[in-house]
Amino acid sequence: MAQLWGGRFTKETDKLAYQFNASIHFDRRFFEQDIEGSIAHAVMLEKQGILTQAEKDAIVKGLTGIREDVKEGSLVITDEYEDIHSFVEANLIERIGDAGKKLHTGRSRNDQVALDMKLYVRQEILETDAYLKELLETLIRLMEENMETYMPGFTHMQKAQPTTLAHHLGAYFEMFKRDRLRMKDIFMRMNYCPLGAGALAGTTYPLDRSYTASLLGFEGPTLNSMDSVSDRDYLIELLSALSTIMMHLSRFSEEIITWNSNEYHFVEIDDAYSTGSSIMPQKKNPDIAELTRGKTGRVYGALISMLTTMKGIPLAYNKDMQEDKEMTFDAIDTVKSCLVLFNGMVKTMRFNKAVMEKSAVNGFTNATDAADYLVGKGVPFRDAHGIIGSLVLYCIGKNTSIDALSLEELKTISPVFEEDIYEAVSLKTCVEKRLTLGAPGMDAMKEVIAINKEYLKEEWELQPGILKQPLEKQVL
């Protein structure tokens, strides 16, 4: 058992207790972050005169070699090590000797793991943001192509007013845009370096924490060493944001599942994102949408687990906090895979435009506009509302739509109706009259699409050191 402690103990840890305590089977995931943080720490130690240049160079070279060997597969991270920190340090000492034993000077595993997790999460936020942006680019393209694709808008799952597919998709565009803003906020708020906090009370060595932070692309060092090693609220924020992303994906998935049904037939999901039945040869199932909807609960579970884990932990570090990793890793993986597959499904989905338009016509979505027509002829709105209600009832009895009635039939309901009623209640007119910003009218949609296309051109302004790899090339 390779571990970084033991001098105070008189016998080895029970094997089962060791395995229960060990984290190597999941924290091996951030071996690159552990090495990156160690390189920055070594460089700072040399700058402060705690290491010689020769020692620093040997450490950086050894760490770089470990990273490359792991990536190439010639060095395997095995379960004989307690955690990723002991794996890296043990292999470093084996390669360069006593100089490797000096790497941990002024550092604890508490601030080391806090750093590793922040470096890892920071990278994952950026990758998740890239997937969100790809989905937004798909949506903006579909919006541009479907400004005149008419469909029913719904309230209470009942057809309410006519809208366009562009307008409907635009609602999800705004949701995912806010998701990106939440991720960016979390990134900026968490981007402070905990390294140098030690176990909980800092260190007596003259560390330059600001220099270490700058090497790693942080805004600066954290300002309280106890908070530095026990802070996990950024993970709670992250899991909350990931849960919100999944909630939006799940709502969208629910609609696609409904639209894909035989009863609606608004969409045809591409074969590449559908599955069949082992017994029913006619079936084509929307499994990607269903799994996305289902996996939402998995991410919610990670958030609840993290909140529950953290709720009773006194300051500062406690082993409970080791539980933060697996649930966070799983939530991140789940969201990223759902975003990639969901985007592929939407990008290749075929919309049955004629069916969508017919559904809007047959659902009396133009009833409000018919009432507004009467108001325009001098009928008080409340009376107009009652007249159109009677008109809808008449249409239901005849299994027809408002625009399919003859003028004579319309006049039996109200003599105010004239020939211009047909243009007033056409889907095109109903939609085009709605020109306030955010509405489905053509001019309003063009303005919104232009705004959002400019938004998609924007890039994050990151600290210079962020994602600049490899670090050793900057410091050797």
Side-chain angles (χ1 to χ4, degrees):
M1 295 185 290
Q3 50 198 33
L4 300 178
W5 50 272
R8 181 252 183 270
F9 291 79
T10 59
K11 64 179 181 179
E12 284 196 352
T13 308
D14 176 84
K15 186 175 180 180
L16 286 177
Y18 178 85
Q19 292 172 346
F20 187 69
N21 183 65
S23 59
I24 189 68
H25 60 285
F26 54 82
D27 69 15
R28 68 181 71 195
R29 179 184 286 235
F30 47 54
F31 77 92
E32 291 189 78
Q33 286 77 21
D34 196 75
I35 289 171
E36 182 184 8
S38 292
I39 290 173
H41 186 63
V43 171
M44 182 276 298
L45 291 177
E46 187 266 336
K47 173 181 173 292
Q48 298 301 100
I50 299 169
L51 293 179
T52 66
Q53 182 175 343
E55 289 170 332
K56 181 265 290 183
D57 289 348
I59 288 171
V60 172
K61 184 177 180 181
L63 290 170
T64 303
I66 291 170
R67 183 181 62 207
E68 296 309 311
D69 289 349
V70 171
K71 290 171 74 173
E72 292 171 2
S74 58
L75 177 62
V76 179
I77 304 172
T78 64
D79 289 350
E80 67 180 286
Y81 300 94
E82 182 181 4
D83 52 33
I84 193 60
H85 321 302
S86 57
F87 166 80
V88 171
E89 188 167 328
N91 278 274
L92 180 65
I93 293 169
E94 183 179 326
R95 292 184 181 214
I96 69 171
D98 286 347
K101 297 178 181 179
K102 297 185 177 183
L103 173 62
H104 209 56
T105 305
R107 186 174 71 170
S108 165
R109 278 191 300 178
N110 292 358
D111 60 342
Q112 189 177 358
V113 71
L115 172 69
D116 289 358
M117 195 63 174
K118 279 196 169 183
L119 290 174
Y120 179 84
V121 166
R122 199 172 66 176
Q123 174 70 44
E124 293 298 320
I125 286 176
L126 292 174
E127 289 187 14
T128 303
D129 176 76
Y131 292 136
L132 281 168
K133 188 174 182 180
E134 288 177 9
L135 178 55
L136 289 174
E137 288 168 346
T138 295
L139 292 178
I140 203 76
R141 177 182 61 80
L142 291 172
M143 288 164 66
E144 282 190 291
E145 295 172 357
N146 290 282
M147 286 188 281
E148 293 185 283
T149 300
Y150 302 112
M151 64 174 290
F154 296 82
T155 62
H156 308 281
M157 280 297 287
Q158 304 291 310
K159 295 173 185 178
Q161 290 181 307
T163 186
T164 64
L165 180 57
H167 190 236
H168 195 109
L169 296 176
Y172 286 107
F173 188 100
E174 297 302 323
M175 295 179 207
F176 293 122
K177 184 166 68 172
R178 291 193 295 272
D179 287 330
R180 289 190 74 204
L181 288 171
R182 272 183 280 273
M183 297 293 277
K184 183 176 181 180
D185 286 345
I186 294 165
F187 186 105
M188 298 305 178
R189 201 158 30 249
M190 65 166 278
N191 198 32
Y192 291 85
C193 184
L195 199 59
L200 83 157
T203 177
T204 58
Y205 294 96
L207 307 185
D208 187 342
R209 295 191 61 215
S210 294
Y211 179 64
T212 307
S214 67
L215 285 175
L216 294 168
F218 287 99
E219 293 287 338
T222 52
L223 298 182
N224 183 283
S225 56
M226 294 182 75
D227 178 62
S228 301
V229 298
S230 60
D231 163 32
R232 296 298 185 272
D233 53 10
Y234 74 94
L235 294 181
I236 292 171
E237 285 190 275
L238 173 66
L239 291 171
S240 177
L242 293 178
S243 294
T244 305
I245 292 171
M246 289 302 297
M247 180 266 290
H248 290 151
L249 287 173
S250 184
R251 292 184 71 182
F252 204 164
S253 293
E254 172 69 15
E255 294 203 308
I256 290 171
I257 292 163
T258 301
W259 293 354
N260 183 70
S261 65
N262 294 332
E263 287 72 19
Y264 272 80
H265 198 53
F266 282 6
V267 300
E268 181 78 21
I269 298 175
D270 191 83
D271 287 358
Y273 295 93
S274 304
T275 63
S277 167
S278 63
I279 189 172
M280 296 170 284
Q282 83 281 11
K283 294 294 293 297
K284 184 177 178 183
N285 300 324
D287 280 11
I288 299 302
E290 290 175 349
L291 282 169
T292 299
R293 186 177 59 182
K295 288 179 182 293
T296 300
R298 183 173 183 151
V299 178
Y300 287 5
L303 172 60
I304 298 302
S305 293
M306 180 68 78
L307 285 166
T308 306
T309 296
M310 295 300 297
K311 74 175 182 63
I313 299 180
L315 291 175
Y317 181 81
N318 293 267
K319 195 69 171 184
D320 315 46
M321 295 164 76
Q322 182 170 287
E323 288 297 301
D324 66 349
K325 294 171 191 62
E326 286 180 284
M327 64 182 82
T328 302
F329 295 161
D330 184 76
I332 290 170
D333 290 347
T334 299
V335 171
K336 285 166 62 177
S337 63
C338 285
L339 281 169
V340 170
L341 288 167
F342 187 88
N343 186 36
M345 176 182 65
V346 172
K347 187 182 295 185
T348 57
M349 202 159 55
R350 185 175 65 85
F351 295 96
N352 297 321
K353 299 180 181 183
V355 175
M356 298 172 90
E357 182 170 341
K358 184 178 180 182
S359 178
V361 170
N362 292 339
F364 304 108
T365 59
N366 53 4
T368 300
D369 295 88
D372 290 341
Y373 168 85
L374 292 176
V375 170
K377 298 288 187 178
V379 179
F381 177 77
R382 189 51 56 202
D383 292 340
H385 188 282
I387 291 168
I388 299 304
S390 298
L391 181 60
V392 168
L393 188 61
Y394 177 81
C395 289
I396 291 172
K398 299 201 64 171
N399 192 27
T400 189
S401 60
I402 294 173
D403 57 312
L405 295 175
S406 68
L407 184 58
E408 289 72 22
E409 287 176 295
L410 289 167
K411 282 183 173 293
T412 62
I413 304 294
S414 172
V416 177
F417 286 117
E418 299 294 344
E419 193 69 37
D420 58 352
I421 180 60
Y422 297 107
E423 181 180 355
V425 298
S426 73
L427 293 185
K428 183 176 178 64
T429 301
C430 293
V431 170
E432 289 304 318
K433 284 193 302 185
R434 288 168 166 79
L435 293 174
T436 52
L437 185 65
M442 178 72 75
D443 290 344
M445 283 304 310
K446 284 181 178 178
E447 184 177 355
V448 167
I449 288 171
I451 291 170
N452 282 329
K453 288 178 81 170
E454 285 301 310
Y455 154 75
L456 288 173
K457 294 178 183 177
E458 297 172 6
E459 298 292 342
W460 282 18
E461 294 182 7
L462 300 176
Q463 284 290 93
I466 295 177
L467 305 182
K468 189 181 287 182
Q469 293 285 356
L471 177 60
E472 67 273 6
K473 290 186 178 179
Q474 304 174 57
V475 297
L476 281 178

